[in-house]
């Protein structure tokens, strides 16, 4: 019990700063909390201006378009909690957050949840981010609106990273591979850096595919065909997941396709791009990406499993890289996780961390569970199952979810995957407590 008490005392160090210490008002800085979509839309013009004047190069995940798309498709029970700060009436900082329930308690997360590959705040250089967020979180904690913060996918170079690292627990850590194109200068120079065997392997697959039919590539801005492209991309992603027995709540979520379509709709000002590898006029590999601040972000990609022998995803990515060089894009962000195929393209990596911070006594339990990474444990356990077992469980989950409107597989969520994750979440919590007691 001594070990458990010490573990909770370590968690208390972050909670105390929000609940017991008096936070002095920041001079000339007025705080706001946006809790509904209408209030969020009233900020649109100011939010877009802040994307330009913010001190860091913002990603699409801090943009108004991202917030609008995700806010319109939030999970039941989730509530907007966008923190804003004004200096003499002018918007100077935004933290796009939501409040949702996790293991029965209210917690703050990034708006977009698992769809947000990176989380950060937007802030001008004049804003003291630690002081602003400390005050904002103190007020939320005092009103009992949230017991903890569980902020995932924070890049090491994010504006909020030093603050979270100083007060929170780092629960998970991964790497984001990327390509510094401005340092390479040309596609030919990048390709020359690839190993000879890699170059020959990709060239051989391309020749084999070309021998079987007509191969073409398109790199285009989102337009009239965007909805069709998205539908095809997600259908291929789900087909791939079904064949592999991969459990992904994101790609089977009922609102996922609608959210992605909103990101490329006429209402969105994001610079969305589709890179498409075609065989005899049919798309066999599609990637949706976004260009922001001179960086191409590889957001979502999929290929037709029927053409897997030709590595269509690798061929499409190489052609995308060439197209980005032609457009003088400065870097390509392949985003986490650092899969082997991504590392074969990338020449750099950036650390990406998740943080847990207690805002109350009961919130300490959430941070202990979060540190055990039960979802990661669940995913690892599922991934280690033989492919045949994963496929069997996948189809069993579909059978269990069958009802009158479940003929459309896009409306089916793999129940067994959710059950396993919840079971392992409890096991992770128990393991964390047991480890603390043994300390």
């Amino acid at each position: 019990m001594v070990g458990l008490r010490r573990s909770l005392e370590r968690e208390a160090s972050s909670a105390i700063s929000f609940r017991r210490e008096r936070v002095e008002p920041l001079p000339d800085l007025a705080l706001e909390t946006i809790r509904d979509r209408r209030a969020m839309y009233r900020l649109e013009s100011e939010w877009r201006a802040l994307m330009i004047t913010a001190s860091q190069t913002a990603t699409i995940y801090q943009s108004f378009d991202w917030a609008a798309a995700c806010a319109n498709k939030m999970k039941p029970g989730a509530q907007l909690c966008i923190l804003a700060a004004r200096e003499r009436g002018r918007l100077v900082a935004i933290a796009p957050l939501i409040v949702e329930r996790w293991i029965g308690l209210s917690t703050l997360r990034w708006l977009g949840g698992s769809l947000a590959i990176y989380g950060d705040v937007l802030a001008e250089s004049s804003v003291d981010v630690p002081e602003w967020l400390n005050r904002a979180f103190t007020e939320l904690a005092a009103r009992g609106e949230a017991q903890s913060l569980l902020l995932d996918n924070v890049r090491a170079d994010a504006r909020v990273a030093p603050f979270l690292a100083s007060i929170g627990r780092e629960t998970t850590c991964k790497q984001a591979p990327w390509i510094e194109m401005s340092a390479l200068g040309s596609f030919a120079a990048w390709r020359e850096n690839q190993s000879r065997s890699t170059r020959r392997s990709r060239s051989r697959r391309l020749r084999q595919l070309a021998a079987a039919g007509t191969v073409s590539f398109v790199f285009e801005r989102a337009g009239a065909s965007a909805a069709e492209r998205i539908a095809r991309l997600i259908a291929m992603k789900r087909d791939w997941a079904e064949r592999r027995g991969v459990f992904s709540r994101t790609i089977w979520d009922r609102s996922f396709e609608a959210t992605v379509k909103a990101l490329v709709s006429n209402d969105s000002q994001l610079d969305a791009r589709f890179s498409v590898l075609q065989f005899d006029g049919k798309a066999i590999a599609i990637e949706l990406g976004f260009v922001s601040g001179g960086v191409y972000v590889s957001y979502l990609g999929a290929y037709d499993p029927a053409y897997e022998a030709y590595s269509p995803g690798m061929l499409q990515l190489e052609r995308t890289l060439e197209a980005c060089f032609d457009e003088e894009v400065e870097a390509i962000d392949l985003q986490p996780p650092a899969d082997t195929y991504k590392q074969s393209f990338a020449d750099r990596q950036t650390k990406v961390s998740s943080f847990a911070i207690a805002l109350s006594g009961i919130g300490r339990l959430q941070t202990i569970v979060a540190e055990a990474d039960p979802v990661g444990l669940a995913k690892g356990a599922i991934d280690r199952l033989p492919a045949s077992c994963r496929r069997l469980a996948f189809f069993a989950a579909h059978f269990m979810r069958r009802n009158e409107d479940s003929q459309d597989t896009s409306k089916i969520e793999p129940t067994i995957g959710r059950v396993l994750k919840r079971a392992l979440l409890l096991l992770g919590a128990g393991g964390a407590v047991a480890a603390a007691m043994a300390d």
Side-chain angles (χ1 to χ4, degrees):
M1 293 302 293
V2 173
L4 178 59
R5 185 174 66 253
R6 287 176 179 171
S7 178
L8 294 177
E9 286 172 353
R10 287 196 299 268
E11 286 300 317
S13 63
S14 62
I16 290 172
S17 65
F18 296 118
R19 297 305 300 270
R20 298 184 184 177
E21 293 183 358
R22 183 173 181 270
V23 179
E24 296 295 334
L26 299 177
D28 302 320
L29 201 65
L31 272 56
E32 299 177 12
T33 303
I34 291 85
R35 293 185 173 85
D36 63 80
R37 289 194 293 271
R38 285 191 299 177
M40 183 191 73
Y41 275 96
R42 287 196 292 269
L43 286 177
E44 179 176 357
S45 60
E46 293 180 287
W47 195 321
R48 294 190 186 281
L50 184 59
M51 277 286 288
I52 299 172
T53 61
S55 62
Q56 82 274 36
T57 301
T59 71
I60 64 166
Y61 309 108
Q62 289 80 55
S63 70
F64 175 81
D65 297 294
W66 174 266
C70 294
N72 289 325
K73 299 295 179 182
M74 290 193 301
K75 296 178 181 178
Q79 181 183 13
L80 285 176
C81 188
I82 299 172
L83 307 179
R86 293 183 179 276
E87 192 173 51
R88 298 180 178 88
R90 189 171 59 87
L91 185 68
V92 294
I94 278 183
L97 301 169
I98 58 171
V99 176
E100 65 178 15
R101 306 287 287 183
W102 189 68
I103 61 171
L105 301 172
S106 297
T107 188
L108 283 164
R109 292 184 181 271
W110 298 119
L111 176 58
S114 61
L115 300 184
I117 308 301
Y118 297 131
D120 197 4
V121 302
L122 277 178
E124 293 189 354
S125 57
S126 62
V127 177
D128 186 325
V129 170
E131 290 295 333
W132 161 49
L133 291 180
N134 188 66
R135 177 180 163 192
F137 294 153
T138 297
E139 293 180 359
L140 290 173
R143 293 193 295 265
E145 295 186 40
Q147 279 72 49
S148 70
L149 295 97
L150 300 178
L151 300 180
D152 297 328
N153 302 329
V154 178
R155 287 173 58 100
D157 56 0
R159 183 74 190 276
V160 77
F163 171 64
L164 296 181
S166 68
I167 66 167
R169 301 176 75 102
E170 184 182 59
T171 57
T172 64
C173 175
K174 50 193 172 184
Q175 297 292 326
W178 57 287
I179 307 167
E180 182 60 76
M181 300 171 67
S182 58
L184 293 167
S186 68
F187 175 72
W190 171 84
R191 202 166 191 277
E192 188 63 29
N193 284 340
Q194 299 281 285
S195 69
R196 182 181 179 186
S197 61
T198 296
R199 295 198 304 269
R200 293 179 64 179
S201 175
R202 290 175 190 160
S203 295
R204 183 177 65 254
R205 285 180 169 81
L206 181 58
R207 288 195 304 271
Q208 291 171 342
L209 187 60
T214 302
V215 180
S216 59
F217 176 76
V218 177
F219 188 66
E220 62 184 12
R221 282 186 164 87
S225 62
E228 181 183 346
R229 295 285 197 207
I230 292 296
R232 172 66 174 156
L233 193 164
I234 293 179
M236 289 193 295
K237 196 76 171 177
R238 288 170 174 162
D239 186 22
W240 173 85
E242 186 172 336
R243 290 177 183 235
R244 296 287 185 90
V246 174
F247 294 103
S248 172
R249 295 191 64 183
T250 298
I251 64 173
W252 291 97
D253 189 275
R254 302 180 185 188
S255 64
F256 175 58
E257 185 171 343
T259 300
V260 177
K261 285 181 177 178
L263 294 173
V264 300
S265 69
N266 292 332
D267 295 331
S268 173
Q269 295 184 23
L270 295 175
D271 188 0
R273 308 293 182 93
F274 287 101
S275 53
V276 187
L277 184 70
Q278 300 176 129
F279 178 75
D280 286 343
K282 173 187 176 183
I284 62 171
I286 304 177
E287 180 177 272
L288 169 63
F290 299 89
V291 177
S292 177
V295 178
Y296 173 82
V297 177
S298 171
Y299 179 64
L300 180 67
Y303 63 85
D304 189 334
Y307 297 85
E308 188 168 17
Y310 301 102
S311 301
M314 302 281 276
L315 298 178
Q316 167 265 310
L317 183 54
E318 187 166 272
R319 298 280 73 80
T320 301
L321 181 60
E322 184 176 16
C324 286
F325 268 110
D326 291 342
E327 294 198 10
E328 298 183 347
V329 171
E330 297 175 6
I332 291 184
D333 186 349
L334 299 177
Q335 304 193 126
D339 295 323
T340 302
Y341 83 90
K342 293 181 183 179
Q343 294 184 55
S344 72
F345 282 84
D347 61 351
R348 287 166 170 74
Q349 295 191 89
T350 297
K351 182 181 177 182
V352 180
S353 303
S354 296
F355 296 95
I357 302 165
L359 298 181
S360 67
I362 193 64
R364 300 168 199 165
L365 176 60
Q366 284 183 312
T367 62
I368 292 174
V369 175
E371 189 174 27
D373 189 23
V375 174
L377 288 173
K379 187 178 185 303
I382 293 171
D383 289 345
R384 283 192 293 272
L385 291 173
S388 57
C389 294
R390 293 199 307 270
R391 285 194 293 270
L392 179 62
F394 186 93
F395 289 118
H398 279 33
F399 178 80
M400 292 169 63
R401 292 280 295 175
R402 183 176 298 168
N403 54 42
E404 64 274 8
D405 64 351
S406 67
Q407 299 305 311
D408 179 2
T409 57
S410 67
K411 295 182 179 180
I412 303 173
E413 293 181 0
T415 304
I416 287 181
R418 287 167 35 214
V419 170
L420 284 172
K421 286 182 179 180
R422 288 174 180 173
L424 283 169
L425 186 150
L426 295 175
L427 287 174
V433 172
M437 292 179 68
D439 184 15

